[in-house]
Amino acid sequence: MITAGIDVGSLTSKAVIMKDGKILSSIILKSKPRPWESADLAINGVLEKTGLSMKDINCCVGTGYGRDKIPFIHQARSEIACHAKGARWLMPSARTVIDIGGQDCKVMKLDEKGEMVKFITNDKCASGTGRFLEVMAKAMGVELSELGELSARSKNPVTLASACTVWAQADVIQHLNEMIPIEDIAAGINNAMASRVATLVSSIGIEKEVCMTGGVAKNSGVVSSLEKTLGIRIKKIRRDDPQLAGAIGAANYAETLLNGGKI
Amino acid sequence: MTAIDSELKILLEKPLNHLVERAINEGMIPIGYACSMVPEALISVGKLFPVSMRAPGSEGTEMADLYLSSVICTYARSLLEFALDDRYKFLGGYVFTAGCDHLRRLHDNLDYLKKPGFSYILDIPHKTGGAALEWTIEEITRLASALEKQFDTDMSRESINKAIEKTNALNRALSAIGTLRKSKHPPFTGTQYHRLIMASRVSPAEYMMPLIEKFRKTAEDSEGRSEYRARLMITGSGLDDPEYTNIIESQGALVVADRYCSGSFPGLEPLDSSSNPFEALARRTLEVTRCPRMMEGFNSRAEYIAQIAEEYSADGVIIESIKFCDTWGLESAALTDQLRAKGIPVLRVEREYRQSGEGQLRTRVQAFIESIGH
């Protein structure tokens, strides 16, 4: 049984091909302005890696903000449900899932069977999302992926006066002009991000194990700052890339569909 | 349903719709109001008719932001923007209540910036009981005198009772249609019913009645809807844009009940037109509107929502509140817990008055429907 999951996000698009519950191949690429273009690129890319073609896929489920615009999927599912499902596949003991995506942040609580029982998402503003980090990294002239490593070397993190993306960017530029070490600014950015996310996590209530999915899960600076702020340990996902959680969840749902289940 | 729905849509496109225009040409006087505590029947006496103030298609509040602070809700700011833009110039006057600070500030600014021919703010107590009733009766009596003086309208008890009957007839007709939503396969969507309700709040009753009848007949001849994944109820701050309901329904929901001040609950309950009309109107304001601004009665308000959810077989409740709405902001937190304790799934969302964050709303609603197992 071969299934595919595709997650068309605002910044990146992800796709996975799974066979009997195991990942055959996966892909993460930058999203195009049109969701169907991103979906085409992602599915073709991931199929190419396996040598399979679309007709070999028994079922495909789509998710992400562009889910309703993907022409080749059998069903669309919300990214909240898919991330919860994918997180559970990546870490079967997970009960609280923190997902920080490109333009939203969500926290999901799962019951012992892995069913989502509660969720909360951020408001419309970019603060507390991947976009916040992207804007800050650009202002600093570093790669997004460098932020975690940089902040680990910080000795004296700065405090950003505001969690608002626009004001925080102005703050970052001012710190750069004052010749403050780039490591301390990076740590300040990660702390600001973590404190914003922590408010959301606290409001839903934490239950162990806690894991993080989405691209920001790969930023060790945000993860460790979040652990400090919340006073908890966030268990690192090792089974696969945490950024693939949504696509994995979608592929899992595709399997449920094939087995005659209702999703 | 498409034909009548399109007619209703047109009525909601701008504050001055063609039915209001027709009424004005025939010598009737539209009175704007922006709170469910305003006794609509009183501004329906004689040649007066009520127009619920909305800001359809609002594109921003640049001018209003100069006068109202950023913690004033976007409903109040949007209305001020429309008034400053002369889109409410056609009104003969405004009647407000001191329902919340936001509406008070709106009233102050309207009075200062765009003084209308008639402007009145009703002072409504935050408690019920004998003294509060007496106070409200006096307030409503004063408003009646002011309206009589300004518009030369007969405000005798007989005239007011006649207006109450007219309002009751309109509300009964709407209510009878609303009851069809209890069925397993209602013949119309929540969005279509929302449009009917809103059109009735912004158009003169006399001209709305034939449209309501047309809606009823069309519903009677329509097939019931079965293509939905979950039946939902919406409750919260004033929600006058049926597009919001439409977004919720686009995710596979069918909105079967609504309880917000501009909706069908609890606003359609008939008033007693046989006795002292001032007392009947005061009782409606204090006891029927069930607004969270009232200091007492949280349990009965929550119970009321749970009861409607049960009557209309809602699978879950969406509690929406406009950002910075003091009354619903506070109420919704406690209400969420209370409803969940009764086993009712709840989704709580904050929104702006103007349609925004559509993608996020779609995702949340879809996830909500999925989480309740549909």
Side-chain angles (χ1 to χ4, degrees), chain B residues 41-81:
Chain B
L42 196 66
I43 45 176
S44 305
V45 175
K47 58 191 173 188
L48 307 180
F49 68 97
V51 172
S52 174
M53 292 173 76
R54 302 165 64 239
S58 160
E59 284 168 352
T61 53
E62 284 72 20
M63 284 190 291
D65 291 348
L66 299 173
Y67 300 98
L68 293 172
S69 89
S70 56
V71 291
I72 294 288
C73 80
T74 41
Y75 173 56
R77 279 193 275 156
S78 302
L79 290 189
L80 183 61
E81 184 79 14

Side-chain angles (χ1 to χ4, degrees), chain A residues 140 149-155 157 180-188:
Chain A
M140 287 172 68
E149 201 186 309
L150 277 170
S151 68
R153 296 205 298 266
S154 163
K155 292 202 167 51
I180 288 175
I182 200 162
E183 295 82 3
D184 291 339
I185 303 175

Side-chain angles (χ1 to χ4, degrees), chain A residues 26-73:
Chain A
S26 63
I27 196 165
I28 300 174
L29 42 86
K30 228 175 159 46
S31 287
K32 296 275 167 198
R34 313 262 182 231
W36 51 89
E37 290 171 8
S38 309
D40 274 345
L41 276 177
I43 198 75
N44 290 333
V46 79
L47 283 170
E48 204 179 294
K49 285 183 176 186
T50 54
L52 295 170
S53 72
M54 203 57 205
K55 64 177 187 313
D56 299 314
I57 307 293
N58 301 109
C59 188
C60 178
V61 166
T63 189
Y65 93 101
R67 63 189 178 278
D68 295 323
K69 306 282 181 209
I70 309 173
F72 53 82
I73 55 168

